[in-house]
Amino acid sequence: MKNQTTATQAGNPLGTAPVGSLIAKFAIPAIISMLVSALYNIVDQIFIGQGVGMLGNAATNIAFPVTIISTAAALLLGIGSASNYNLEMGAGHEKKASSIAGTGLSSLVLFGAVIAMIVLLFLKPLLTFFGGTPDVMPYAIDYMGITAIGLPFYVLSTGGNHLVRADRSPTYSMTCTLIGAIINTILDPLFIFGFGWGIKGAAWATVIGQMVSGLLVIFYFARLRKMYLDRSMLIPQMQNLSMIFSLGLAACINQIAMAAVQIVMNNILRHYGAASVYGSDIPIACVGIISKVNQVFMAICIGISQGSQPIWGFNYGAENYSRVRQTYRYSVTLCTVIATIFFICFQFFPHQIVSIFGNGSDLYFQFAERYLKIFMLMTFANGIQPMSSGFFTSIGKAKLGIVMSLTRQVIFLLPLIIIFPLFMGIDGVMYAGPIADTAAFVLAVIFARRELGIMKNAERAA
């Protein structure tokens, strides 16, 4: 077994190439892919803000939980498949790795179709549950009713690109997402302003971009893949699904938690906003904008984590713990530098950031700027928690990955945004953010240090 592992390492650069260059090779395309995914929502938000107005921005925020839930399914299957694939390849089990990849790909298609069907069948009740107000609902129905058509392609593209990266094609993975986003960006102004379709134009632009990205993933596995994959492997196997769910659950739960927080947040903003000088629609629109801005920051950190996962998983499977620890240190350092840059931007340029998404009243900018500065106060430390969640998942420590994914959103933020407004009104939502971020950061550091220490002791004992 040891000889087999050594031979596998010798034939795979994940086990031998310099860690710094490997992170750059895998993380840069992953970051670009994540940024491009974020652009789907941000570009829509910008053009809708300019062409439709505040109610249009509020509508995309109401519809956003559907996107998060779809992302959750994509990451459950995509990260779960890719993590298992890397671990099995690192251990020298090539056929088993390919079988898991096949199950993951076919399941992505099935899950995407089911989500789209549910959304279309229960569109209005879902949007009401997500916090829609009477003024916002017509826009939300138009937007979500169209974008639901693209959800199967979105799930396949988002999840499938993890397997493309695991198959040592990070540049192609980036290209899939990038082409879709470019199409979306070109079509948005054409459909919204040129054709006069308003928010429906933004929705169709998104759907077309997602379709192209999904078809490119299909083309890769049909024609360009490096892994061995025959048609029989595309039949989902329960044993493979169990393994996929085990390692993909942390990322999935993190997204589900984000959706839960978004839904609760929208309803709290609707309730406490109505009792404040801002009204209901201003807080919902502003928080939606700022959550999209934060997506840019999180996209970079998660991209670094995703780019590091093949290195972590392969070397942990090969018991090369020094490379696992070195990769984690490099990744955390990069995330911290990026987080500090965004912290400075959020604290010193809030008005300029909000202005990108359209104009509004004085009350609109007053709420948006205060929310951005207070809620995002701990941005400089916010990269560690998603980084650690991805780290634990990639080395097969699914339970720790799940704990890390739950800390900020479910364990800390969700109860705080319910409790604080009882005493502070709508301002309570703002102050819940940095407190939850601080608690999640502390736990992530404690668990990561412990796991790295275990690896170091295993090295000494070897």
Side-chain angles (χ1 to χ4, degrees):
M1 180 66 183
K2 187 68 177 176
N3 291 336
Q4 185 183 32
T5 300
T6 303
T8 303
Q9 280 188 287
N12 195 314
L14 290 173
T16 56
V19 168
S21 62
L22 278 176
I23 291 176
K25 178 182 177 181
F26 283 89
I28 291 174
I31 290 169
I32 294 174
S33 296
M34 290 298 300
L35 284 173
V36 169
S37 296
L39 281 176
Y40 272 116
N41 297 304
I42 292 173
V43 169
D44 279 353
Q45 198 89 51
I46 291 172
F47 284 117
I48 289 170
Q50 301 290 342
V52 181
M54 183 187 75
L55 292 178
N57 275 333
T60 62
N61 189 32
I62 295 302
F64 194 50
V66 173
T67 302
I68 300 175
I69 292 168
S70 300
T71 304
L75 297 184
L76 172 68
L77 298 167
I79 289 180
S81 301
S83 297
N84 276 289
Y85 179 84
N86 289 322
L87 285 167
E88 295 295 338
M89 288 294 288
H93 306 150
E94 183 176 357
K95 188 174 181 180
K96 179 63 176 176
S98 297
S99 175
I100 291 169
T103 293
L105 282 171
S106 56
S107 299
L108 283 166
V109 176
L110 292 173
F111 274 55
V114 169
I115 293 171
M117 190 181 304
I118 292 172
V119 171
L120 289 171
L121 287 174
F122 303 100
L123 182 60
K124 191 170 182 179
L126 282 172
L127 292 173
T128 301
F129 177 67
F130 294 160
T133 66
D135 291 339
V136 172
M137 280 296 289
Y139 296 94
I141 289 172
D142 285 345
Y143 184 77
M144 196 66 253
I146 295 170
T147 54
I149 298 170
L151 290 178
F153 297 93
Y154 174 75
V155 171
L156 175 61
S157 173
T158 303
N161 276 313
H162 287 278
L163 279 166
V164 174
R165 280 193 296 274
D167 197 36
R168 292 176 289 158
S169 297
T171 302
Y172 188 92
S173 171
M174 173 189 70
T175 303
C176 289
T177 314
L178 186 59
I179 290 175
I182 290 172
I183 291 172
N184 181 41
T185 304
I186 293 171
L187 294 182
D188 255 332
L190 177 64
F191 288 174
I192 294 173
F193 302 108
F195 292 176
W197 291 354
I199 199 166
K200 290 183 179 179
W204 279 117
T206 298
V207 168
I208 293 171
Q210 290 171 344
M211 285 182 172
V212 172
S213 294
L215 291 173
L216 286 172
V217 171
I218 293 173
F219 179 77
Y220 176 85
F221 285 103
R223 299 289 184 181
L224 305 176
R225 67 183 186 272
K226 298 180 178 69
M227 68 174 68
Y228 172 75
L229 192 67
D230 61 39
R231 291 184 180 179
S232 65
M233 292 178 174
L234 294 174
I235 300 173
Q237 297 182 25
M238 289 307 300
Q239 182 182 4
N240 289 343
L241 278 174
S242 177
M243 295 173 66
I244 289 169
F245 288 174
S246 175
L247 295 188
L249 196 59
C252 175
I253 288 176
N254 190 45
Q255 292 293 318
I256 295 296
M258 287 174 60
V261 169
Q262 186 81 38
I263 293 166
V264 172
M265 179 88 78
N266 287 341
N267 282 281
I268 285 176
L269 293 172
R270 179 174 60 182
H271 176 77
Y272 288 98
S276 72
V277 296
Y278 304 110
S280 295
D281 293 328
I282 284 178
I284 289 175
C286 291
V287 171
I289 288 171
I290 291 164
S291 70
K292 304 301 191 304
V293 172
N294 189 47
Q295 266 193 305
V296 177
F297 161 63
M298 294 305 295
I300 297 174
C301 290
I302 293 173
I304 294 171
S305 176
Q306 289 180 356
S308 302
Q309 282 177 12
I311 312 170
W312 287 329
F314 182 88
N315 286 284
Y316 192 86
E319 299 182 2
N320 194 346
Y321 299 132
S322 63
R323 287 176 65 82
V324 178
R325 293 189 297 112
Q326 185 181 12
T327 304
Y328 183 82
R329 289 196 301 268
Y330 281 16
S331 302
V332 166
T333 301
L334 281 172
C335 270
T336 303
V337 171
I338 297 297
T340 303
I341 293 170
F342 273 87
F343 168 78
I344 293 170
C345 292
F346 291 163
Q347 294 302 312
F348 292 97
F349 307 106
H351 185 87
Q352 291 84 346
I353 291 172
V354 175
S355 297
I356 296 172
F357 297 88
N359 295 319
S361 64
D362 290 341
L363 280 175
Y364 171 84
F365 278 103
Q366 178 185 326
F367 181 87
E369 291 173 34
R370 287 190 68 231
Y371 186 91
L372 182 57
K373 293 177 73 172
I374 296 172
F375 193 83
M376 303 305 300
L377 185 62
M378 286 296 295
T379 298
F380 61 88
N382 279 356
I384 307 300
Q385 182 256 345
M387 175 67 63
S388 297
S389 179
F391 169 67
F392 289 124
T393 297
S394 67
I395 64 172
K397 300 294 181 72
K399 290 182 180 179
L400 279 174
I402 291 170
V403 169
M404 285 295 97
S405 68
L406 288 174
T407 51
R408 182 182 185 272
Q409 299 289 339
V410 173
I411 298 174
F412 300 123
L413 185 58
L414 190 57
L416 290 177
I417 62 174
I418 294 172
I419 295 169
F420 278 19
L422 295 173
F423 306 98
M424 305 171 66
I426 201 165
D427 283 359
V429 175
M430 303 183 192
Y431 289 99
I435 295 174
D437 290 339
T438 301
F441 167 74
V442 170
L443 278 183
V445 170
I446 291 172
F447 281 115
R449 284 176 62 88
R450 187 186 70 174
E451 190 63 36
L452 294 174
I454 291 172
M455 291 186 200
K456 191 171 184 179
N457 292 334
E459 280 182 318
R460 290 172 177 169

